[in-house]
Amino acid sequence: MDIAFVATSALTLACIYALLALGVSIVFSSLGLVNMAHGLSFAVAGFGAWLAATHVSSSAAVVLAAGIGSGAACGLLICAIAFIPLHDKPNFVVRSLIATLAISLLGSQILLAAFGPNAKSLPAIFGEQPLRLGALTVPADKAGAIACALVLMGVTLVWMTKSRMGLQIRAMMQNPEGAALVGIGVRPTALVVMGVTGALAGLAAVLLSQTYFVSPFAGTTPLVKGLIVALAGGLGSVPGAVIAAALVGVVEALTGALIGGQYVLLTQFGFIIVVLLLRPRGIAGLLDKSRE
């Protein structure tokens, strides 16, 4: 087993899964919404990046911007359809879950009708020249994915810590009712949350599509893995999502290296079962009692 290859694969997967899980966790903890259409944002972003690469430019900046922008736009659309009309209605959690699931299924069919069933490929936006760090050689796509994911996650976390809107989101994550009482608007904040988390999904789509293909149903597996990571870390816990992403990335990389990629989902679900048996609330998550 090539330890260096497994380590770089694990770090790459951890960064991408962290982007997805952060979106799931932030949306749930601030809005109380389990966004089953998060995978649709991933797929839409992939096609947005592909269209930009095909018709505008294949440069890294253009492709990344198109993917992030498409994901953010899809997140805003999901918010307008599934959150704003339903957030003050009875049984919001169940209604919104069904609504986002319906949006995901309908959106996938629209993508299928618009682009066909054939998978699309993105250009190698990070080039072909591998990065050499002493005796370690990191492929260009993995090095670029790690760097971009770490930068955007860092910017997002700093923004949530330092900016006024970020503080409003954190207030809603800690106490939604108290945040509403002090004048924090639920709907404007929800639009920002869904736009930011859609952008995170968009970046994950571009980074993961360097290895895999863009297709109408490309968001299904990333959604499942994002939910796995978010549940293992604890729904609503940002640090827990990051820790769980690292562990799930290691599990996937070791599974692929030791017993084969076809067993990845099996080992990942086994991992989350063990975690939830040992820590029912996840690695670092505490479920918000005010929503029960």
Side-chain angles (χ1 to χ4, degrees):
M1 181 176 62
D2 188 342
I3 299 298
F5 175 79
V6 172
T8 54
S9 296
L11 182 57
T12 304
L13 292 169
C15 289
I16 294 173
Y17 293 159
L19 290 173
L20 294 166
L22 279 176
V24 174
S25 292
I26 292 172
V27 169
F28 176 80
S29 57
S30 60
L31 307 181
L33 169 68
V34 180
N35 184 12
M36 297 301 292
H38 200 54
L40 178 63
S41 297
F42 184 98
V44 168
F47 279 106
W50 175 76
L51 287 172
T54 304
H55 301 290
V56 181
S57 171
S58 60
S59 67
V62 171
V63 175
L64 286 169
I68 293 172
S70 300
C74 187
L76 293 174
L77 180 63
I78 294 168
C79 181
I81 297 175
F83 179 80
I84 290 178
L86 299 176
H87 76 94
D88 55 352
K89 300 295 190 297
N91 299 319
F92 164 70
V93 174
V94 176
R95 290 188 183 201
S96 61
L97 189 148
I98 294 173
T100 54
L101 181 59
I103 291 170
S104 178
L105 296 174
L106 178 61
S108 297
Q109 292 301 318
I110 292 174
L111 291 177
L112 181 63
F115 296 101
N118 295 329
K120 318 294 184 184
S121 60
L122 293 183
I125 60 175
F126 300 114
E128 303 290 345
Q129 186 66 30
L131 176 65
R132 301 187 185 278
L133 302 172
L136 180 64
T137 300
V138 183
D141 59 338
K142 291 183 178 180
I146 293 169
C148 289
L150 290 176
V151 168
L152 188 57
M153 281 191 291
V155 169
T156 301
L157 294 177
V158 169
W159 174 74
M160 289 187 64
T161 304
K162 302 297 183 181
S163 70
R164 181 179 181 87
M165 180 55 69
L167 293 175
Q168 291 180 5
I169 294 172
R170 291 176 63 201
M172 289 186 63
M173 291 170 69
Q174 294 175 5
N175 191 330
E177 290 79 8
L181 289 174
V182 297
I184 295 176
V186 174
R187 293 182 180 183
T189 306
L191 286 169
V192 174
V193 168
M194 294 299 288
V196 170
T197 55
L200 293 174
L203 177 61
V206 176
L207 299 180
L208 199 57
S209 297
Q210 295 298 292
T211 303
Y212 301 97
F213 293 103
V214 177
S215 70
F217 302 99
T220 303
T221 300
L223 171 64
V224 171
K225 293 186 178 181
L227 289 172
I228 287 174
V229 172
L231 287 171
L235 271 176
S237 171
V238 172
V242 175
I243 295 170
L247 294 175
V248 169
V250 170
V251 169
E252 178 165 341
L254 288 175
T255 301
L258 295 176
I259 60 177
Q262 66 269 30
Y263 299 104
V264 164
L265 283 179
L266 179 64
T267 57
Q268 286 179 339
F269 278 111
F271 168 75
I272 189 176
I273 289 171
V274 171
V275 168
L276 295 180
L277 285 174
L278 297 176
R279 292 184 64 86
R281 292 179 176 178
I283 293 172
L286 296 176
L287 294 179
D288 190 350
K289 294 295 183 182
S290 66
R291 291 199 180 100
E292 293 184 352

